[in-house]
Amino acid sequence: MSRESILSAIKKNKPEQVSLPEIDLGIFHEDVDLVETFSKNLESVGGRIVSFNRIEDLDAEIKKRYPNAKHIVSCSSESNLATMSISNETEPHSLECIDLVIIDAQVGVSENGAVWISDNDFIVRVLPFITNDLVLILSKKDICLHMHEAYNIISKRYRTFGLFLSGPSKTADIEQCLVIGAQGAVSLTVFLI
Amino acid sequence: MSHAKEAELFNNDEAKVNWHDQALWFVRNKRDKAAHTVKGWEELRNLASAIKANVLSNLDEYLVEFEENAQKNGIHIHWATDAEEHNKIVHNILLKNNAKKVVKSKSMLTEECHLNPYLEVNGIEVIDTDLGERIVQLAKEPPSHIVLPAIHKTKEEVDVLFQKHLGTIPSEGNPQYLTSEARKHLRNKFLKADAAITGVNFAVAETGGIVVCTNEGNADMGVHLAKIHIASMGIEKIIPKEKHLGIFLRLLARSATGQPITTYSSHFNKPSEGKEMHIIIVDNGRTEQLGREHFRSSLNCIRCGACMNTCPIYRRSGGHSYKATIPGPIGSILSPGTDLKKHSSLPFASTLCGSCSDVCPVKINIHEQLYQWRQIITKDVKQPIVKKTVLKMTGRVLGNSKLYGFFGKSARFMLKHLPKSVINSQTNTWGKARDLPKVENDNFEDWYKKRKS
Ligand code: SF4
């Protein structure tokens, strides 16, 4: 059996026990303005930021940015813009025509402009990738300093599928020229409240 | 053909070589800038290195822990001792599910196993979906870089390729247009695929989950549309705990391209309802490398490509000259472990300047291991006469440990004091087109610090 032969080869060849290092997170601490740094970093990776103060204004703000979106899926209870409803029975291939998806994000990471979302928030896993444009709603108070904090925050979740998402899909595979919109969503806007 | 001969071919087109050289140097500079914005960067590297050392010393236990946790979440785990077994496992999964069309995201392991040709002769369509990989697939070439697979291609070449295969109109290599055409082409493939194959960047023992990093979103497009997800991983991809991802994800993209993190860092822990997820854990020579004391830390590599971008030889000889799945400095340590004779010229494709070790996010002592391989190869493999001459002289210089105890220093000494005719001999074709990198008297760090200020 390959399993046994691999495991026994490892046992035979592995080096002497080395213990795990202690991680002192203090080394990585910085006093930065979390919202400002998050916004700056998200913009540097091609994402957009819209700050707004009243949750009632959300739909108007989204409409302003995406006036032509026809096929809209909203996974957020804060938005009423949905033109299509989905459930966990929805066949992912049927979502090919989606223009805009709206999702509640749980955590923002200031050091890299990434946002954590999981399939609790968007039900059908392909949604944030197959849509043309993606809107995430994030509360300013949910922005943390760095990835260590972010993993700490999400450590208690029920694990199915989730991701850190930083900006829109991109590639530089043709002569190192950056092109936004490779295979996933061609734009990402984070609405910060 | 030796690396030197292959490099000579690459150097026939000087303008292209210069572009290649500068493009990669530019990426290297972006890496530096990104690293300098992180407070505690060196500590991150130390931690990553220490965690990986712990992993190697407990690898069997972590793999078993990973397997148990993954299975609890409904993931099927397979084990493959070599490439052939890996390919058979993939094929069997596809057969069982009557899957004929496969989309694949970047995975150096499946390259190493030559999975595509294996599946193709069995009547299965395999489409590489990373844009760079799709380009080289259409050109019937292997990737020339582990992060930038098509870095050796000009945009005009891509233009011609897409005209032929995707029916695009001539655009003088307009990247925006070509990328949008590729997007349409690949959309179609994603929507029709029966199965998706991905690599694995990290596998977490504690949770039994895997993390796959892409910028394009191609891994996710494939996995979430197809019914079956097959992920192939080398045994060394394990990390102990989920919180360790914080360390590795902070290092990976910054080292690779200077981005603060890849666009998509997807955490797969459980297949969705009605779908299948398989993980194949592959050895293919890795346990042997684990047993080589001087070389085992090469297994710590997280495939960021930084050592390639910084390497003066790689930049001027191109990834294909290495004739190995993983090119560049790290590939030159890994490949001789699989076939010493075939890859015997690779550890010589280095100035031993040590720049690779300086940028490596997991602190692999790459240039020292290259030197170690040279020692073994000169003993075990017949060398062309000219190389022998150089080596004799190198040997004399390097052998005097009192004077030149540190390999990097010795290499610098060699570059400075050996006559140009010997350095630029046939073993060093990359030196032909232009003079070797200028050697400063300072050591690399001093020189580097000076350059920055
Ligand atoms: S050896 Fe280090 S620098 Fe080179 S690809 Fe691997 S992790 Fe990156």
Side-chain angles (χ1 to χ4, degrees), chain B residues 411-424:
Chain B
R412 275 194 299 281
F413 175 88
M414 190 177 81
L415 282 178
K416 251 172 93 172
H417 296 281
L418 283 188
K420 206 170 153 188
S421 59
V422 174
I423 296 172
N424 287 354

Side-chain angles (χ1 to χ4, degrees), chain B residues 309-320:
Chain B
N309 304 337
T310 200
C311 176
I313 310 277
Y314 176 89
R315 280 186 278 120
R316 293 203 64 84
S317 57
H320 288 160

Side-chain angles (χ1 to χ4, degrees), chain A:
Chain A
M1 269 269 294
S2 300
R3 179 182 186 277
E4 274 57 50
S5 77
I6 293 171
L7 289 174
S8 74
I10 294 172
K11 237 177 233 126
K12 199 173 107 226
N13 290 345
K14 69 181 180 180
E16 256 170 56
Q17 169 64 29
V18 179
S19 54
L20 269 177
E22 294 286 325
I23 303 173
D24 170 14
L25 289 185
I27 296 166
F28 307 116
H29 185 77
E30 274 177 287
D31 281 315
V32 294
D33 182 324
L34 295 178
V35 175
E36 196 186 299
T37 315
F38 173 81
S39 306
K40 191 186 92 222
N41 283 327
L42 179 59
E43 278 166 359
S44 78
V45 296
R48 279 178 299 194
I49 288 275
V50 176
S51 272
F52 68 116
N53 296 321
R54 298 179 343 136
I55 195 72
E56 305 85 68
D57 297 339
L58 175 68
D59 282 353
E61 294 287 342
I62 295 176
K63 268 248 113 104
K64 231 192 321 191
R65 267 89 191 176
Y66 298 98
N68 301 322
K70 274 205 190 72
H71 305 290
I72 303 175
V73 173
S74 169
C75 306
S76 165
S77 55
E78 307 294 352
S79 171
N80 294 310
L81 291 175
T83 62
M84 303 169 60
S85 63
I86 53 155
S87 71
N88 42 17
E89 309 273 281
T90 305
E91 161 53 36
H93 295 82
S94 71
L95 299 170
E96 198 215 339
C97 60
I98 303 272
D99 299 311
L100 181 66
V101 167
I102 302 162
I103 296 172
D104 284 328
Q106 294 168 7
V107 186
V109 190
S110 91
E111 68 150 316
N112 53 23
V115 169
W116 173 263
I117 50 176
S118 82
D119 67 355
N120 292 324
D121 312 312
F122 48 85
I123 317 171
V124 185
R125 291 185 184 183
V126 82
L127 262 184
F129 310 98
I130 204 167
T131 179
N132 203 65
D133 297 291
L134 180 60
V135 161
L136 300 177
I137 303 161
L138 179 66
S139 166
K140 285 180 186 159
K141 65 170 189 351
D142 290 333
I143 298 177
C144 66
L145 178 62
H146 47 42
M147 292 298 284
H148 314 292
E149 271 182 17
Y151 274 109
N152 195 18
I153 296 167
I154 64 171
S155 64
K156 301 266 153 39
R157 75 190 189 284
Y158 177 64
R159 289 180 177 79
T160 51
F161 170 74
L163 71 150
F164 285 103
L165 173 58
S166 167
S169 160
K170 57 183 85 64
T171 181
D173 275 341
I174 300 177
E175 275 203 11
Q176 283 297 291
C177 302
L178 181 68
V179 178
I180 303 284
Q183 326 305 346
V186 301
S187 86
L188 169 72
T189 309
V190 174
F191 284 74
L192 269 184
I193 178 145

Side-chain angles (χ1 to χ4, degrees), chain B residues 146 301-308 330 356 359-362 364 366:
Chain B
I146 59 174
C301 173
I302 57 171
R303 304 283 189 266
C304 74
C307 57
M308 293 160 208
I330 182 67
C356 45
V359 296
C360 178
V362 287
I364 301 171
I366 306 170

